[in-house]
Amino acid sequence: PLGYKKLFAHEDVRPSGLKQSVDDLEQLYTLAAGVHSRLTDTIASEWTAPDPGEVPFRYAVRGTQASFVVDAVDPGLKTRTSAERKLRDEYLGDVSKLKDIVRLTLVFETFGELSRALDSVAGLPDWELVSLKNKYVSPTPLGYGDVNTNVWIPSSGGKLLCEIQFHVRSVL
């Protein structure tokens, strides 16, 4: 497929011990609000409103996205219930291990578009791509693939690790 070879050049970067700069849940959510705005404003200038009664996702309005974005899905901040469950079940209460309080999904038509977007995100001023899991190179046993990244994004209150997922629509 178009761009697949270029995508293979994006090798996994999985640093051990990657943690948030804060270890208090209230402080994390306070910081997350500003960082979430910075992330979504960078990706698109306009977003749809969530449908009442539906999953509260927002979608980037076509024509308002950054030049490297095809489609974007904003699920909003991770709910407190989900964060608390993850803290209890996976992180033994260590708040600094929550790296997906702020998250976003980017969706592309081709592997080439996805690869170019990875390069663009890595080159954004003041942003630092610090973790990359390329599951197109090493898919799950059931064949699922995506690229999952963690990026330090600054805001006026400090910086926060955020999760940005990259998908090719035909592989979703």
Side-chain angles (χ1 to χ4, degrees):
L2 186 62
Y4 197 68
K5 189 183 270 188
K6 187 171 187 220
L7 183 58
F8 263 72
H10 291 279
E11 295 182 7
D12 281 7
V13 177
R14 298 184 186 204
S16 63
L18 192 57
K19 292 184 174 190
Q20 293 289 6
S21 57
V22 297
D23 60 5
D24 175 78
L25 193 59
E26 289 301 318
Q27 192 178 8
L28 186 63
Y29 271 97
T30 298
L31 185 55
V35 172
H36 178 257
S37 292
R38 174 112 192 255
L39 171 61
T40 56
D41 289 351
T42 299
I43 297 302
S45 59
E46 292 182 44
W47 294 82
T48 63
D51 290 329
E54 297 289 321
V55 177
F57 291 178
R58 298 184 318 152
Y59 299 88
V61 173
R62 294 253 172 161
T64 70
Q65 313 98 309
S67 62
F68 59 87
V69 175
V70 174
D71 281 318
V73 182
D74 171 24
L77 298 180
K78 181 183 263 330
T79 66
R80 292 226 179 212
T81 302
S82 293
E84 288 166 356
R85 182 180 329 106
K86 198 169 200 176
L87 282 170
R88 181 187 66 243
D89 296 347
E90 298 179 37
Y91 297 142
L92 300 172
D94 187 350
V95 171
S96 68
K97 291 184 178 182
L98 285 170
K99 299 180 287 289
D100 62 348
I101 294 290
V102 177
R103 65 265 169 86
L104 191 85
T105 298
L106 301 177
V107 182
F108 304 92
E109 301 301 331
T110 68
F111 292 105
E113 290 171 344
L114 186 155
S115 186
R116 283 189 294 281
L118 273 171
D119 292 339
S120 294
V121 167
L124 287 169
D126 301 326
W127 292 30
E128 183 184 2
L129 194 151
V130 292
S131 171
L132 186 147
K133 298 175 192 170
N134 188 344
K135 289 181 262 180
Y136 290 115
V137 173
S138 302
T140 68
L142 294 176
Y144 176 77
D146 71 356
V147 175
N148 190 304
T149 64
N150 288 116
V151 181
W152 283 111
I153 299 176
S155 76
S156 59
K159 67 180 184 175
L160 193 73
L161 276 171
C162 304
E163 179 179 281
I164 304 175
Q165 296 179 355
F166 296 75
H167 296 272
V168 171
R169 190 180 320 279
S170 64
V171 184
L172 275 174

